[in-house]
Amino acid sequence: MRTIRRTMVASALALPLMIGAAGIASADSFGSTEVQAGPDGAATHSVQSETHRGSSSFHENSAAAGPDGAAHDSTSATAGKNGDSQYQQHSGWAGQDGAGSSETHSSTDGGHDQGVLSGTLGAIGL
Protein backbone atom coordinates (compact mmCIF):
# COMPACT_ATOMS: atom_id res chain seq x y z
CA MET A 1 0.00 0.00 0.00
CA ARG A 2 2.81 2.39 0.90
CA THR A 3 4.55 1.74 -2.43
CA ILE A 4 1.36 2.49 -4.36
CA ARG A 5 0.83 5.73 -2.44
CA ARG A 6 4.44 6.82 -3.02
CA THR A 7 4.13 6.04 -6.72
CA MET A 8 0.92 8.08 -6.96
CA VAL A 9 2.52 11.05 -5.15
CA ALA A 10 5.63 10.90 -7.34
CA SER A 11 3.47 10.79 -10.48
CA ALA A 12 1.39 13.75 -9.34
CA LEU A 13 4.50 15.76 -8.58
CA ALA A 14 6.12 15.02 -11.94
CA LEU A 15 3.79 17.45 -13.77
CA PRO A 16 5.13 20.58 -12.01
CA LEU A 17 8.64 19.40 -12.85
CA MET A 18 7.80 19.21 -16.55
CA ILE A 19 6.11 22.63 -16.50
CA GLY A 20 9.04 24.19 -14.64
CA ALA A 21 11.54 22.71 -17.11
CA ALA A 22 9.62 24.22 -20.03
CA GLY A 23 9.95 27.72 -18.50
CA ILE A 24 13.73 27.41 -18.18
CA ALA A 25 14.27 27.02 -21.94
CA SER A 26 13.72 30.68 -22.82
CA ALA A 27 16.34 33.41 -22.23
CA ASP A 28 13.67 35.74 -20.81
CA SER A 29 12.32 33.31 -18.24
CA PHE A 30 13.15 31.68 -14.93
CA GLY A 31 11.87 28.45 -13.47
CA SER A 32 12.59 26.50 -10.32
CA THR A 33 10.90 23.41 -8.92
CA GLU A 34 11.51 21.49 -5.70
CA VAL A 35 9.87 18.17 -4.85
CA GLN A 36 10.16 16.24 -1.61
CA ALA A 37 8.63 12.92 -0.61
CA GLY A 38 9.12 10.81 2.48
CA PRO A 39 7.37 8.51 4.92
CA ASP A 40 5.46 11.44 6.48
CA GLY A 41 4.17 13.02 3.26
CA ALA A 42 5.11 14.92 0.13
CA ALA A 43 5.56 18.54 -0.90
CA THR A 44 6.27 20.55 -4.02
CA HIS A 45 7.20 24.19 -4.65
CA SER A 46 7.61 25.89 -8.01
CA VAL A 47 8.39 29.41 -9.22
CA GLN A 48 8.13 30.61 -12.81
CA SER A 49 8.58 34.08 -14.24
CA GLU A 50 8.92 35.40 -17.76
CA THR A 51 8.87 38.44 -19.95
CA HIS A 52 7.59 38.44 -23.52
CA ARG A 53 6.97 41.36 -25.88
CA GLY A 54 6.54 43.97 -23.16
CA SER A 55 4.50 41.79 -20.78
CA SER A 56 5.72 39.99 -17.68
CA SER A 57 4.38 37.34 -15.33
CA PHE A 58 5.24 35.63 -12.05
CA HIS A 59 3.72 32.43 -10.66
CA GLU A 60 4.51 30.59 -7.44
CA ASN A 61 2.80 27.38 -6.28
CA SER A 62 3.22 25.16 -3.21
CA ALA A 63 1.44 21.99 -2.18
CA ALA A 64 1.92 19.56 0.67
CA ALA A 65 0.13 16.45 1.92
CA GLY A 66 0.77 14.34 4.98
CA PRO A 67 -0.95 12.31 7.65
CA ASP A 68 -2.59 15.41 9.19
CA GLY A 69 -4.01 16.87 5.96
CA ALA A 70 -3.15 18.75 2.80
CA ALA A 71 -2.57 22.37 1.80
CA HIS A 72 -2.07 24.41 -1.36
CA ASP A 73 -0.94 28.00 -1.90
CA SER A 74 -0.52 29.95 -5.12
CA THR A 75 0.43 33.50 -6.05
CA SER A 76 0.25 34.95 -9.54
CA ALA A 77 0.99 38.42 -10.91
CA THR A 78 1.02 39.73 -14.49
CA ALA A 79 1.70 43.09 -16.10
CA GLY A 80 0.81 43.81 -19.73
CA LYS A 81 2.55 46.15 -22.13
CA ASN A 82 -0.53 48.44 -22.13
CA GLY A 83 -0.37 49.03 -18.37
CA ASP A 84 -2.94 46.43 -17.34
CA SER A 85 -2.04 44.23 -14.38
CA GLN A 86 -3.49 41.41 -12.29
CA TYR A 87 -2.65 39.87 -8.91
CA GLN A 88 -4.16 36.75 -7.37
CA GLN A 89 -3.34 34.82 -4.20
CA HIS A 90 -5.17 31.64 -3.19
CA SER A 91 -4.76 29.23 -0.25
CA GLY A 92 -6.64 26.07 0.60
CA TRP A 93 -6.27 23.43 3.25
CA ALA A 94 -8.03 20.37 4.62
CA GLY A 95 -7.35 18.23 7.66
CA GLN A 96 -8.88 16.28 10.50
CA ASP A 97 -10.40 19.43 12.02
CA GLY A 98 -12.00 20.75 8.82
CA ALA A 99 -11.15 22.63 5.66
CA GLY A 100 -10.87 26.20 4.47
CA SER A 101 -9.74 28.49 1.71
CA SER A 102 -8.95 32.14 1.09
CA GLU A 103 -8.46 34.26 -2.00
CA THR A 104 -7.28 37.80 -2.72
CA HIS A 105 -7.25 39.35 -6.17
CA SER A 106 -6.99 42.72 -7.85
CA SER A 107 -6.61 44.05 -11.38
CA THR A 108 -6.25 47.25 -13.34
CA ASP A 109 -7.21 48.23 -16.84
CA GLY A 110 -4.27 49.69 -18.72
CA GLY A 111 -6.15 52.77 -19.82
CA HIS A 112 -5.69 54.41 -23.17
CA ASP A 113 -3.82 57.65 -22.65
CA GLN A 114 -3.33 59.49 -25.90
CA GLY A 115 -1.57 62.69 -26.78
CA VAL A 116 -3.33 65.47 -28.65
CA LEU A 117 -1.92 64.49 -32.06
CA SER A 118 -2.62 60.74 -31.77
CA GLY A 119 -6.13 61.42 -30.43
CA THR A 120 -6.88 63.79 -33.30
CA LEU A 121 -5.48 61.42 -35.94
CA GLY A 122 -7.43 58.52 -34.44
CA ALA A 123 -10.65 60.58 -34.47
CA ILE A 124 -10.35 61.26 -38.19
CA GLY A 125 -9.51 57.64 -38.97
CA LEU A 126 -5.75 57.90 -39.58
Side-chain angles (χ1 to χ4, degrees):
M1 180 67 177
R2 224 170 224 225
T3 304
I4 293 172
R5 188 168 72 177
R6 285 183 183 176
T7 303
M8 289 174 50
V9 169
S11 298
L13 298 176
L15 180 61
L17 283 174
M18 292 187 311
I19 293 170
I24 295 172
S26 174
D28 294 331
S29 67
F30 170 81
S32 173
T33 301
E34 298 175 46
V35 177
Q36 300 170 347
D40 294 325
T44 182
H45 177 251
S46 66
V47 175
Q48 285 100 25
S49 64
E50 69 177 340
T51 60
H52 183 70
R53 298 184 183 204
S55 298
S56 60
S57 64
F58 171 83
H59 305 282
E60 181 174 19
N61 294 295
S62 314
D68 296 326
H72 176 265
D73 185 65
S74 66
T75 302
S76 178
T78 60
K81 65 182 178 180
N82 296 325
D84 54 321
S85 62
Q86 296 181 351
Y87 170 82
Q88 183 174 15
Q89 191 281 328
H90 179 265
S91 298
W93 60 93
Q96 296 173 355
D97 296 329
S101 68
S102 70
E103 182 171 329
T104 302
H105 61 272
S106 66
S107 63
T108 62
D109 185 8
H112 303 285
D113 294 338
Q114 295 181 344
V116 173
L117 181 58
S118 63
T120 304
L121 293 175
I124 60 174
L126 297 176

